Amino acid sequence: MEGSAKWGAHVAIALPAAGFDAREVPASRSAAQRRSQRLDKTDAVDAVASARALLAEPTLGLVQTLEVYDSLVAEIEAVLEHRRTLVAARTLMLHHVGDQISKLPTEVWDQLTAGGKIEARLRRLEGIDPDTCSTPVGRHRLRWLQNFIDQDRAERSEIRRLERLIDELLDRHGTTLRDEPGIGPIAAATLLCEVGHPTRFDRKSKFARWCGTGAVALSSGEGAGSPVKHRLDFTGNRRINSVLHIASVTQQRTQPEAIAYLARKAGEGKTRREARRAHKRQVANRVIRRMWRDEQTRNQPHALAA
């Protein structure tokens, strides 16, 4: 199967339940098979390409949706997606609000601060009478912006409610990801939902490769020994990569261990970016170890009951 987390979710649940051995084929693998044959992208070609990808690599992992793996993690994902959509919609509207504020008449613009966040300037409009505008267009824009203030308050309140709900669900899950400096409730929920079953990564190097924090060998002409030159991995799960990057930056500001580690890497001749990538790999290792321990802890009561 390809795309079991989205359009193929229902089939991914039904096939294992019926006793079939269903495997997840990454889209990049089937695309590589299709390109090697120089074939067009059609449903029939994709089906054959997925089969060839599995034949080329029979060890591909089993399909396992979050509903099958853990219904609580699936619930966290549903709430997280709802919050993500609201934040994206609010961000888009605030960009439009900033544009509309810049077009207000001079008599209104003079009462606002030129800089600062859009939200702060928007709140200042609440006490301005639209009739003070010299043009009908200005009055229309000001009234629309004032009406948007209440809508924005409701959206922010709903986003905060969802964040509190995510925190409660994480407490029920028992994850220790929030104990890692720089990883809050949203980052922890993102890790749980994107990773799914953590034991599908049997080594830390596989997890690092999956999330793009593992360095890629730059040259194959270095003999049989370990590669010396590496480059940045531009693939991998960029959402998880971003979570690990934010955690690394936060730890650099507050954690003495991270500060000492980055200073040591700089002393070894690494650039600032190279040192950051090395520290992100360290954070990735700690994250997957936490997830392995959490999974083992959650399964212990079930094992004892059996």
Side-chain angles (χ1 to χ4, degrees):
M1 284 195 59
E2 180 184 316
S4 62
K6 297 187 181 295
W7 293 105
H10 296 293
V11 180
I13 294 172
L15 286 178
F20 289 97
D21 180 12
R23 304 281 175 153
E24 174 70 27
V25 178
S28 58
R29 307 287 176 85
S30 57
Q33 290 288 333
R34 191 174 62 248
R35 284 196 301 269
S36 68
Q37 302 292 322
R38 296 185 178 181
L39 298 173
D40 295 331
K41 181 173 174 60
T42 65
D43 290 342
V45 169
D46 276 349
V48 174
S50 298
R52 283 176 175 160
L54 181 58
L55 288 173
E57 192 173 354
T59 57
L60 287 175
L62 297 168
V63 233
Q64 194 169 47
T65 61
L66 289 181
E67 288 86 347
V68 175
Y69 159 59
D70 192 324
S71 59
L72 179 57
V73 177
E75 185 179 356
I76 293 173
E77 182 190 42
V79 179
L80 185 64
E81 287 179 346
H82 186 192
R83 177 196 173 274
R84 192 177 291 143
T85 302
L86 288 179
V87 170
R90 181 172 181 264
T91 302
L92 182 64
M93 284 301 299
L94 285 176
H95 284 309
H96 179 62
V97 164
D99 175 66
Q100 294 299 302
I101 289 176
S102 67
K103 296 177 180 178
L104 287 170
T106 306
E107 58 269 19
V108 177
W109 180 255
D110 289 342
Q111 302 180 52
L112 307 177
T113 54
K117 292 185 176 181
I118 296 176
E119 294 96 321
R121 283 181 283 165
L122 184 63
R123 301 293 177 268
R124 289 180 177 271
L125 295 176
E126 202 167 14
I128 299 177
D129 186 0
D131 292 333
T132 59
C133 296
S134 57
T135 62
V137 176
R139 287 192 292 271
H140 174 79
R141 283 202 173 99
L142 183 55
R143 288 194 182 98
W144 181 86
L145 290 168
Q146 289 174 338
N147 291 334
F148 177 76
I149 294 174
D150 291 333
Q151 177 186 336
D152 185 56
R153 285 198 181 107
E155 288 179 356
R156 285 191 299 136
S157 176
E158 178 64 10
I159 290 170
R160 286 194 296 267
R161 186 190 71 81
L162 293 174
E163 289 171 351
R164 290 193 298 269
L165 179 56
I166 289 173
D167 223 1
E168 294 170 6
L169 292 172
L170 291 174
D171 289 338
R172 283 172 51 193
H173 183 276
T175 179
T176 62
L177 286 172
R178 289 171 294 177
D179 296 338
E180 181 71 25
I183 295 182
I186 303 305
T190 302
L191 281 163
L192 287 176
C193 297
E194 294 290 329
V195 172
H197 205 310
T199 56
R200 68 191 180 102
F201 303 105
D202 56 357
R203 295 196 303 271
K204 291 178 286 189
S205 58
K206 286 189 175 181
F207 176 71
R209 193 77 175 89
W210 174 78
C211 62
T213 56
V216 180
L218 185 62
S219 151
S220 60
E222 297 174 352
S226 299
V228 177
K229 297 180 179 180
H230 297 82
R231 67 163 175 82
L232 175 64
D233 188 356
F234 296 103
T235 59
N237 189 310
R238 308 317 296 173
R239 186 171 284 168
I240 296 301
N241 195 290
S242 175
V243 167
L244 297 174
H245 182 84
I246 292 171
S248 174
V249 172
T250 304
Q251 290 181 16
Q252 184 187 12
R253 295 172 180 168
T254 60
Q255 303 300 308
E257 298 86 355
I259 296 170
Y261 178 85
L262 290 165
R264 186 171 74 252
K265 289 297 178 183
E268 294 173 359
K270 291 186 179 294
T271 65
R272 183 172 57 86
R273 290 185 175 181
E274 288 172 342
R276 173 71 66 207
R277 291 199 289 268
H279 186 246
K280 280 170 63 177
R281 174 63 187 272
Q282 265 205 345
V283 175
N285 290 345
R286 289 200 298 270
V287 163
I288 194 59
R289 285 199 298 266
R290 281 183 182 277
M291 298 187 78
W292 284 337
R293 287 196 298 267
D294 292 345
E295 187 69 17
Q296 187 178 13
T297 303
R298 295 186 74 208
N299 290 333
Q300 279 177 354
H302 300 290
L304 293 173

